[in-house]
Amino acid sequence: MSTVENASPADDGAPDGAQGIAAQDWATASASPQYRAAVVDLLGALAYGELAAFERLAEDAKLAPTLGDKAELAKMASAEFHHFERLRDRLAAIDAEPTEAMEPFAKGVDDFHRQTAPSDWLEGLVKAYVGDSIASDFYREVATHLDTDTRALVVGVLDDTGHGGFAVEKVRAAIEADPRCGGRLALWARRLMGEALSQAQRVVAERDALSTMLVGGVDGMAAGFDLAAVGEMFTRITKAHTKRMAALGLAA
């Protein structure tokens, strides 16, 4: 998943004064069956998201106007697949069957990509930069409530694949050449914002273990988000989105 440099709404580490699961390693934290189930869900959702991102970037490469652009997208697709492999291997290492862990999330991710299929090269770039980054911001927020080992993995696979700077350069150049496309792309980005946030909320709401971990905590060990913290989280995600829009030269 693509992210923008210095625009992540959450820190990479645990919250200040982290207690319970956020201060434990996997071996200790996974003693809670509910927490283990939440992590398997989370890694399954991320793994399928990375696999879908690989497929989408490979498909978007067909829209690339030049061979250089096509090669750049192929390189980014390869990075996404490497992220998928890391998540798949981690699931296997904790005795979870990767395909079974991903299966519950396949339809939701596929529906999102079907509903937000780009009509051209520029829309594809904006989607990768804006849409994927919103999802990455959400998972970074979730990562603050994970054990140290899982948190390091999640933050690592959310590293920028290089799509951020590439998208900004291409989109800004296109707007400079034809300012009229700016309005269309701004509307597109706003639609992506709504769809991406809805998908993130569905991921949590539809999985009991994840929702319990994030809202109220697991077995008293994870602090979770209270209602005020949920609002603050989405405020941070929205602010990061606004920064990305400005980087693209678009109105938020």
Side-chain angles (χ1 to χ4, degrees):
M1 292 183 181
S2 303
T3 57
V4 61
E5 292 181 359
N6 303 321
S8 175
D11 292 333
D12 289 350
D16 291 340
Q19 298 178 353
I21 287 177
Q24 296 174 4
D25 61 13
W26 169 254
T28 303
S30 61
S32 163
Q34 193 172 43
Y35 177 73
R36 184 185 184 282
V39 169
V40 169
D41 272 352
L42 181 66
L43 297 184
L46 272 170
Y48 191 78
E50 295 291 346
L51 183 59
F54 158 73
E55 292 177 321
R56 193 192 69 248
L57 284 173
E59 187 68 21
D60 286 352
K62 298 177 182 177
L63 301 173
T66 70
L67 286 176
D69 292 334
K70 188 185 294 286
E72 190 66 25
L73 283 192
K75 182 174 107 175
M76 295 170 190
S78 176
E80 299 286 13
F81 192 77
H82 177 61
H83 290 165
F84 160 73
E85 289 180 314
R86 289 181 63 189
L87 291 159
R88 178 200 62 196
D89 292 348
R90 178 59 177 168
L91 282 163
I94 62 174
D95 298 322
E97 207 290 311
T99 301
E100 290 180 4
M102 292 188 290
E103 186 63 36
F105 307 100
K107 184 180 185 301
V109 172
D110 290 346
D111 286 347
F112 169 76
H113 287 307
R114 184 166 53 253
Q115 293 162 2
T116 58
S119 63
D120 61 21
W121 164 248
L122 290 175
E123 286 190 2
L125 289 179
V126 171
K127 179 180 176 180
Y129 182 64
V130 172
D132 286 1
S133 294
I134 293 167
S136 292
D137 289 345
F138 171 75
Y139 285 119
R140 282 181 182 274
E141 293 279 356
V142 173
T144 64
H145 296 268
L146 301 174
D147 66 272
T148 55
D149 297 318
T150 305
R151 183 166 63 246
L153 171 64
V154 169
V155 171
V157 299
L158 296 177
D159 280 348
D160 186 18
T161 61
H163 211 138
F166 180 74
V168 167
E169 176 188 350
K170 296 295 181 180
V171 172
R172 291 188 74 97
I175 294 173
E176 184 176 345
D178 181 8
R180 293 174 300 176
C181 73
R184 172 175 68 86
L185 294 176
L187 287 173
W188 172 243
R190 285 195 284 273
R191 178 186 167 193
L192 291 169
M193 173 73 170
E195 293 285 354
L197 287 179
S198 294
Q199 186 205 16
Q201 290 166 340
R202 284 194 298 270
V203 165
V204 174
E206 293 175 1
R207 304 298 293 179
D208 289 344
L210 270 179
S211 60
T212 300
M213 181 181 73
L214 293 176
V215 183
V218 176
D219 295 346
M221 292 187 289
F225 291 105
D226 58 25
L227 289 178
V230 169
E232 292 168 0
M233 175 184 72
F234 283 110
T235 295
R236 288 191 294 271
I237 291 174
T238 300
K239 285 182 178 178
H241 169 73
T242 300
K243 289 181 181 179
R244 292 190 183 97
M245 293 287 280
L248 289 169
L250 301 174

